[in-house]
Amino acid sequence: MKPRVQFPLRIRDLEFGGGKPLFCIPIVPRDIPDLVVQAETARALNPELIEWRADFFSNPSASSLVGAATLLRNIAPEQALIFTLRAKSEGGAQELPQSDRRILIEAVLRSSMVDIVDLELANDNDFLHALMKTAQTCDMPVILAFHDFDRTLENEELLAKIESMRSQGANIAKIAVMPRTPEDVLRLLQVTACARRLYPNLPLITMSMGALGSITRVAGFLFGSDMSFALGKSGSAPGQIPMEDARKMVELLLRYSN
Amino acid sequence: MKPRVQFPLRIRDLEFGGGKPLFCIPIVPRDIPDLVVQAETARALNPELIEWRADFFSNPSASSLVGAATLLRNIAPEQALIFTLRAKSEGGAQELPQSDRRILIEAVLRSSMVDIVDLELANDNDFLHALMKTAQTCDMPVILAFHDFDRTLENEELLAKIESMRSQGANIAKIAVMPRTPEDVLRLLQVTACARRLYPNLPLITMSMGALGSITRVAGFLFGSDMSFALGKSGSAPGQIPMEDARKMVELLLRYSN
């Protein structure tokens, strides 16, 4: 599948790869009342994006998710919305058969209530290809993501993941890995700088997780990452920094790095 | 020459290598009135250390430098004072014959008005050995320093510089290099993390200079650097960040990294 050639990638009022650091607050609601609280908390912090981790939603059905997406769209009309329904094996919150996941994701994409869909690279090819085709039909950019909550693969392996995302038609490539040493944290930033040079037109979201990696959530922008996850009410991965502190740090880092 | 075995290295109330990030404001006065202004500005910002770059002093004599050191001691009684008289070839502000430099440095060391002396590793052996002996006699810790205002040597070469500093009896090793790429910045941090592991009892001061490297002036602490230079009134090297912003950033980085 061909990626869009447009660069920077424009999504609503945002530019992915345009130089301005983008912040995304993840929300992990279990039901509608929870979604209202978390979405309002997130919106009040004024992030550029909100990621809805729909795998935390209890008993998800196509209609309940489309209803929730519509509500989220109304609560946060100015934020770009990332829709993610991660499988349990990929770090998701609940076990859902692949066929159900496909139906749920397609329903939300077709509703046009979200702006970006996040899909795990580890999904099988048919599943991934079908959903990417739906996203293309809906003119919706796709994040292909690689997560590793245990370790940080070698630089070459991580770069191969990004190349695989690109060749499969990702509009945005995402890498989130766990460091075991300070050197692992630096390697994730090296991979970012290298990918930025190899693929100048591919927006990137990269991070080294956990407390050890938290520096990458603010310094990643200096090395080529375009977006960072920050904390609203509840985080979705270890090492996320509260929104206001993250913005303050990034603002200062960018001021002295240019 | 044997380095002190004491670790963390205690200098006045400070611990080098004790985990608390130390900030040093450099001052570059041309004469006594200038020194008064710069020292008072620096002290008001409450750094842990002040570095006096005495090579900026016009027509330095042993008595004028000892007089200036005494004045500085009185203006900043709570700061540890680093004394540095860099040769022109090492990035210093004026040409001074080596024999003059030796006399000037020895006079200031013997005055006991400063707490630490910074000497460039590139000095010839006899010169370095003589001054380190004087410092040892005065019970004054020595920083051995390597500067490169043009590039960032390979990791192995930088580690060899630190090993050379250690084997020559440095109490603190300092590496300041210029990056040409974002990867050079990351390599300096890798060298820092590696040296910290190789020499757990050797305090380190490392930085990647210029705007590109400014991240290292706040993130270096996470990877094993013990001290960072921040701006008072006038900087002494490119990329230094004003004291208050530097502290704020480090405080936030440390809060989320632990």
Side-chain angles (χ1 to χ4, degrees):
Chain A
M1 210 171 290
K2 272 201 227 158
R4 301 178 179 198
V5 290
Q6 180 198 25
F7 188 86
L9 179 61
R10 286 193 176 77
I11 299 171
R12 294 173 72 87
D13 292 340
L14 302 180
E15 283 189 346
F16 254 91
K20 184 177 178 257
L22 306 177
F23 281 100
C24 179
I25 295 183
I27 60 170
V28 292
R30 280 180 303 176
D31 52 29
I32 292 288
D34 213 11
L35 181 139
V36 171
V37 171
Q38 291 191 26
E40 286 182 345
T41 303
R43 187 209 37 192
L45 292 165
N46 206 25
E48 283 77 16
L49 304 99
I50 292 176
E51 180 191 38
W52 174 28
R53 283 286 301 274
D55 47 292
F56 283 81
F57 216 70
S58 295
N59 304 314
S61 66
S63 64
S64 71
L65 290 191
V66 170
T70 309
L71 189 58
L72 177 56
R73 175 78 292 162
N74 287 325
I75 293 174
E78 295 184 358
Q79 275 72 35
L81 301 178
I82 302 176
F83 176 75
T84 307
L85 185 77
R86 229 176 266 308
K88 181 100 179 169
S89 61
E90 302 156 357
Q94 64 184 302
E95 197 75 72
L96 283 172
Q98 184 175 288
S99 54
D100 289 6
R101 284 201 294 128
R102 181 170 163 179
I103 292 166
L104 296 175
I105 294 171
E106 289 196 329
V108 175
L109 298 197
R110 291 191 196 284
S111 78
S112 294
M113 289 296 148
V114 299
D115 302 295
I116 306 173
V117 61
D118 177 308
L119 300 171
E120 191 82 17
L121 181 67
N123 279 299
D124 76 53
N125 271 346
D126 289 349
F127 177 87
L128 207 54
H129 194 78
L131 284 175
M132 291 189 74
K133 210 166 163 180
T134 305
Q136 206 170 41
T137 309
C138 303
D139 199 29
M140 189 174 298
V142 175
I143 297 171
L144 287 185
F146 171 74
H147 292 84
D148 190 332
F149 290 90
D150 182 46
R151 64 194 166 142
T152 301
L153 293 175
E154 291 303 312
N155 293 22
E156 295 66 30
E157 295 172 288
L158 291 175
L159 285 166
K161 297 286 182 196
I162 296 173
E163 167 54 28
S164 171
M165 293 167 191
R166 192 202 60 78
S167 68
Q168 291 189 61
N171 302 104
I172 300 168
K174 177 183 173 191
I175 296 275
V177 288
M178 191 63 78
R180 292 179 181 176
T181 64
E183 281 90 342
D184 284 345
V185 176
L186 297 172
R187 287 201 302 101
L188 181 277
L189 293 174
Q190 279 180 321
V191 165
T192 307
C194 187
R196 177 81 297 147
R197 205 174 44 242
L198 290 173
Y199 313 114
N201 295 338
L202 179 66
L204 297 170
I205 303 171
T206 68
M207 70 222 68
S208 183
M209 294 184 285
L212 194 56
S214 65
I215 175 84
T216 65
R217 296 184 181 272
V218 291
F221 297 116
L222 303 176
F223 297 96
S225 184
D226 296 303
M227 194 193 94
S228 180
F229 290 92
L231 273 184
K233 199 167 176 65
S234 317
S236 64
Q240 289 170 357
I241 299 171
M243 185 70 201
E244 286 170 21
D245 282 345
R247 269 223 207 274
K248 202 185 303 167
M249 278 193 269
V250 169
E251 198 179 285
L252 288 169
L253 285 175
L254 291 177
R255 184 184 310 163
Y256 297 110
S257 301
N258 286 309
Chain B
M1 211 171 290
K2 272 201 226 158
R4 302 176 179 198
V5 289
Q6 179 196 28
F7 188 86
L9 179 61
R10 288 197 174 73
I11 299 170
R12 296 173 70 87
D13 291 340
L14 303 180
E15 283 189 348
F16 254 92
K20 184 178 178 256
L22 306 177
F23 281 99
C24 179
I25 294 183
I27 59 170
V28 293
R30 279 180 303 177
D31 52 31
I32 290 289
D34 213 11
L35 180 139
V36 172
V37 171
Q38 290 192 26
E40 285 182 345
T41 303
R43 186 207 40 188
L45 291 165
N46 206 24
E48 283 77 16
L49 304 99
I50 292 176
E51 180 192 36
W52 174 28
R53 282 286 302 276
D55 47 292
F56 283 81
F57 216 71
S58 295
N59 304 314
S61 66
S63 64
S64 72
L65 290 191
V66 170
T70 308
L71 188 57
L72 177 57
R73 176 77 292 162
N74 287 325
I75 292 174
E78 293 184 0
Q79 275 71 35
L81 301 178
I82 302 176
F83 176 75
T84 307
L85 186 76
R86 232 177 261 311
K88 181 99 178 168
S89 61
E90 301 156 358
Q94 64 183 303
E95 196 75 71
L96 282 172
Q98 182 175 288
S99 53
D100 289 7
R101 284 200 295 128
R102 179 169 166 178
I103 290 165
L104 296 174
I105 294 171
E106 289 196 328
V108 174
L109 297 198
R110 291 191 197 285
S111 78
S112 294
M113 289 295 150
V114 298
D115 302 296
I116 306 172
V117 61
D118 177 310
L119 300 171
E120 191 80 16
L121 182 67
N123 279 299
D124 76 53
N125 272 345
D126 289 351
F127 176 87
L128 208 54
H129 194 78
L131 284 175
M132 291 189 74
K133 210 165 164 180
T134 306
Q136 205 169 42
T137 310
C138 303
D139 200 29
M140 188 174 299
V142 175
I143 297 171
L144 287 186
F146 171 74
H147 293 82
D148 190 332
F149 290 89
D150 181 46
R151 65 194 166 142
T152 301
L153 292 176
E154 292 302 313
N155 293 22
E156 295 67 29
E157 295 171 289
L158 291 175
L159 286 166
K161 298 285 181 196
I162 296 174
E163 167 55 27
S164 172
M165 293 168 191
R166 192 202 60 79
S167 69
Q168 290 189 59
N171 303 103
I172 299 168
K174 178 183 173 191
I175 296 275
V177 288
M178 189 64 77
R180 292 177 181 177
T181 64
E183 281 90 342
D184 283 346
V185 176
L186 297 172
R187 288 203 298 103
L188 182 275
L189 293 173
Q190 278 180 321
V191 166
T192 306
C194 187
R196 176 81 299 145
R197 206 175 42 242
L198 289 172
Y199 313 114
N201 295 338
L202 179 65
L204 297 170
I205 303 170
T206 68
M207 71 222 67
S208 183
M209 295 184 284
L212 193 57
S214 64
I215 175 83
T216 65
R217 297 184 182 273
V218 291
F221 296 117
L222 303 176
F223 298 95
S225 183
D226 296 302
M227 192 193 95
S228 180
F229 290 92
L231 274 182
K233 201 169 175 62
S234 317
S236 65
Q240 289 169 357
I241 298 173
M243 185 70 199
E244 286 171 22
D245 282 345
R247 267 221 210 275
K248 201 185 305 168
M249 278 192 270
V250 169
E251 199 179 284
L252 289 169
L253 285 175
L254 291 177
R255 183 184 311 164
Y256 297 110
S257 300
N258 287 309

